[in-house]
Amino acid sequence: MWWPCGWEAVGVAYQPSPSIAGPSLPPLSRPQLAEARRVRAVELFEGGVSNADIARAVGVCAESVRRWRRMWEQSGASALRRRAATGRPPKLDDTQVETVRAALEQGAQAHGFEADLWTLERVGAVVTRATGVVLSRASV
């Protein structure tokens, strides 16, 4: 079982040091940031740095570093790389999402609704009109 530890356990977003992200790079997504931490940990493993020092350097708990080290020792650095998402593919592709976004930016009244208020049902109706894809209320 995985238990959150480090900064995430207390609800604080970790801010990478310049050695991880670099000062001129755009902000990293959460999965990219997690991978950057693991890649930096591998560099430090190879440098002989202790687990406790690595945990402090990348902003995670020592247990995460121990788990990463075991994976690295068993399968190498590639075991710590981010993997492609699994599960059901999205119902809308990137082009359709942009089409819906543009339609929603026009406002609800532009789509025939009485008030300029978006509800899940109204957004779902616009998604269906714009793309032909019917989404459940939960998916909207």
Side-chain angles (χ1 to χ4, degrees):
M1 174 177 271
W2 176 83
W3 294 96
C5 54
W7 294 106
E8 288 83 6
V10 293
V12 176
Y14 167 72
Q15 296 299 317
S17 67
S19 63
I20 292 176
S24 63
L25 295 176
L28 298 177
S29 68
R30 195 174 178 136
Q32 290 170 327
L33 178 58
E35 183 178 28
R37 287 179 178 149
R38 294 188 305 269
V39 167
R40 180 66 180 135
V42 167
E43 293 170 354
L44 296 172
F45 293 153
E46 292 170 346
V49 178
S50 73
N51 287 355
D53 288 340
I54 293 172
R56 278 190 294 278
V58 300
V60 299
C61 67
E63 178 54 35
S64 292
V65 176
R66 283 191 290 274
R67 188 171 17 91
W68 296 346
R69 187 180 292 269
R70 278 193 307 271
M71 292 171 66
W72 173 69
E73 288 171 344
Q74 292 171 358
S75 305
S78 63
L80 296 173
R81 288 298 208 174
R82 193 168 59 147
R83 290 171 184 78
T86 60
R88 185 178 186 149
K91 289 188 174 184
L92 300 176
D93 62 30
D94 292 342
T95 304
Q96 291 172 313
V97 169
E98 287 306 314
T99 300
V100 170
R101 185 183 324 270
L104 295 175
E105 286 175 351
Q106 295 171 357
Q109 289 179 324
H111 293 280
F113 298 109
E114 197 172 298
D116 209 22
L117 172 73
W118 286 116
T119 64
L120 291 175
E121 289 77 14
R122 289 178 176 185
V123 171
V126 170
V127 169
T128 302
R129 281 187 222 146
T131 66
V133 176
V134 178
L135 298 177
S136 69
R137 188 173 199 267
S139 294
V140 171

